[in-house]
Amino acid sequence: MKKLFTVIGALSLLTLSGCSNTPSNSDSEYQGQTLKVFNWGEYIEPSVISDFEDEFGVTVVYETFLSNEAMYTKVQTGETYDVLVPSDYMIERMVQEDMLQELDLSKIPNIGNLADGVKNLPYDPDNTYSVPYFWGSVGIVYNKNNVDINDLENEGWAIFQDTDYAGRIYMYDSERDSFMIAFKSLGYSMNTSNESEIQEAYDWLIQINDTMSPAYVTDEVIDAMSSGQKDLAVVYSGDAVTILMENEDMAYYCPTEGTNLWSDAMVIPKNAENPDLAHEFINFILGYDASYANSEYAGYASSNAEVLEELSAGEFEGNDAYIPRSGYDKDEVFVYNKELTAKLSELWVKVKAH
């Protein structure tokens, strides 16, 4: 995922979703029950929660996290939730560590609504443990007036080393994404564990730090690029959707060397207290109404094929960031690798301190 947000924003959303009235559906078999959901910030349209509560006569306790690692730590220490929404590589890790339940897909008929781009993903090809929520890519938002499209097409990710744009770039403050860019620019897999390739990528990033005066950002890149403060930025596709809607001078480009095609998906942890209601929630989110509301609200590509098609031809028509590139053989999904994760984290500290 991908949107980070402030603590104030988190508390606001919790207030909206955690203070529901007495459940109204007296005919529901779940009447009076509670569902605990742990999701990214700014990732659900608040009315979707109240609609689910009304339909099933339940209360949703909705909490948010800022990173996969923060989510993982909280669950690992024993906190119980019924539904989590981790990213691809974290789902792979949690499956390896036996932290997730297998899903009963007969209770999730709306899985038939999935878009082609989120089917058969390598971390869970048969949806044994997870069902996609949002998906997207990592690309470049650029100012069409100040950046030559020929430079982008000829240089790809290496445009972040082009000194013609020194002092005019935002790099995303994430070791995995930044090393992905370096690996792809050098022609390597973003999941490589080859020591010499990792060293080359490290040197590639050091060169940016030494010659380009980059600004390292996370969620603040949205407002910064919307107001045109820089000319080039590494941006998640959903955030790029917002930027392009707010500033007509901005455009989105995915380099031909490939990029990270990511997805966040709904899972049920092993220690969930209400797995039956969790299946209902997952199915509800995959439905047309909830999927449409969530995607329109967050700007991220829906996992629902009908919603994806309608929004791309409607509100997000002409917005190149909304529908992720799919079927491109140089794009990859992150694979969980404990040793690589630790190595890149160590090197990223050195890059930023250089």
Side-chain angles (χ1 to χ4, degrees):
M1 130 99 166
K2 300 304 171 189
K3 286 190 177 181
L4 299 179
F5 71 124
T6 65
V7 172
I8 292 175
L11 292 175
S12 296
L13 188 53
L14 282 170
T15 299
L16 284 170
S17 60
C19 297
S20 62
N21 296 322
T22 302
S24 60
N25 190 343
S26 59
D27 296 327
S28 169
E29 63 181 288
Y30 303 104
Q31 174 68 29
Q33 295 184 21
T34 297
L35 183 80
K36 290 186 67 177
V37 179
F38 205 20
N39 197 358
W40 298 91
E42 297 184 4
Y43 236 37
I44 196 167
E45 210 286 328
S47 68
V48 170
I49 297 170
S50 57
D51 288 346
F52 180 80
E53 291 177 322
D54 290 343
E55 180 168 336
F56 290 92
V58 300
T59 297
V60 175
V61 177
Y62 188 92
E63 296 178 19
T64 57
F65 55 83
L66 296 175
S67 71
N68 281 291
E69 288 67 30
M71 178 278 302
Y72 171 84
T73 298
K74 195 165 185 181
V75 174
Q76 188 187 45
T77 56
E79 188 74 26
T80 59
Y81 296 96
D82 298 304
V83 178
L84 309 171
V85 191
S87 300
D88 34 48
Y89 73 92
M90 183 56 71
I91 293 171
E92 186 176 13
R93 176 180 185 177
M94 296 178 83
V95 169
Q96 290 178 15
E97 298 178 5
D98 196 30
M99 297 176 67
L100 303 179
Q101 297 186 24
E102 290 192 15
L103 299 176
D104 182 348
L105 298 184
S106 70
K107 297 179 179 179
I108 311 175
N110 283 335
I111 196 169
N113 298 336
L114 288 180
D116 289 341
V118 289
K119 293 179 179 177
N120 309 120
L121 295 173
Y123 63 90
D124 189 16
D126 299 319
N127 300 111
T128 303
Y129 297 95
S130 65
V131 178
Y133 183 94
F134 281 146
W135 59 303
S137 59
V138 177
I140 300 171
V141 169
Y142 66 98
N143 188 315
K144 294 179 290 186
N145 299 322
N146 301 331
V147 176
D148 190 335
I149 186 60
N150 292 318
D151 288 347
L152 271 171
E153 293 175 347
N154 293 331
E155 300 175 43
W157 291 115
I159 197 167
F160 287 98
Q161 292 182 329
D162 186 337
T163 54
D164 285 347
Y165 300 104
R168 297 154 60 188
I169 68 170
Y170 286 121
M171 289 289 290
Y172 205 78
D173 192 359
S174 159
E175 63 263 24
R176 199 79 197 259
D177 291 311
S178 294
F179 270 91
M180 177 276 291
I181 292 167
F183 287 137
K184 286 299 185 184
S185 182
L186 293 165
Y188 303 138
S189 168
M190 69 187 197
N191 293 308
T192 183
S193 57
N194 182 287
E195 289 292 339
S196 64
E197 293 176 357
I198 293 171
Q199 182 62 44
E200 283 185 65
Y202 171 73
D203 294 338
W204 193 94
L205 291 169
I206 287 293
Q207 181 177 337
I208 289 179
N209 220 31
D210 287 349
T211 63
M212 297 296 292
S213 301
Y216 295 102
V217 294
T218 52
D219 56 326
E220 62 267 33
V221 72
I222 302 171
D223 289 340
M225 289 301 285
S226 295
S227 60
Q229 294 182 21
K230 302 281 186 183
D231 291 330
L232 288 159
V234 179
V235 181
Y236 285 105
S237 54
D239 294 339
V241 167
T242 301
I243 294 168
L244 269 56
M245 291 182 70
E246 294 184 358
N247 188 335
E248 63 182 11
D249 293 331
M250 297 296 171
Y252 184 72
Y253 179 77
C254 272
T256 57
E257 301 103 317
T259 188
N260 170 24
L261 185 67
W262 59 265
S263 62
D264 297 332
M266 296 173 283
V267 302
I268 303 176
K270 270 284 180 71
N271 65 352
E273 295 179 351
N274 204 339
D276 288 337
L277 188 56
H279 280 84
E280 295 283 7
F281 182 81
I282 292 171
N283 192 59
F284 184 85
I285 292 297
L286 292 178
Y288 175 85
D289 290 341
S291 293
Y292 192 101
N294 285 339
S295 189
E296 183 180 44
Y297 172 78
Y300 280 94
S302 176
S303 60
N304 180 302
E306 184 180 2
V307 170
L308 191 70
E309 181 178 355
E310 287 195 17
L311 282 175
S312 64
E315 181 170 345
F316 300 132
E317 182 180 9
N319 194 316
D320 293 335
Y322 179 66
I323 296 185
R325 180 171 66 190
S326 61
Y328 187 66
D329 60 3
K330 292 185 179 180
D331 291 340
E332 295 181 83
V333 173
F334 280 132
V335 172
Y336 174 64
N337 181 321
K338 181 178 181 180
E339 291 74 23
L340 178 61
T341 299
K343 180 66 174 178
L344 298 188
S345 181
E346 172 190 343
L347 291 175
W348 184 238
V349 173
K350 295 180 179 180
V351 168
K352 292 180 64 182
H354 196 271

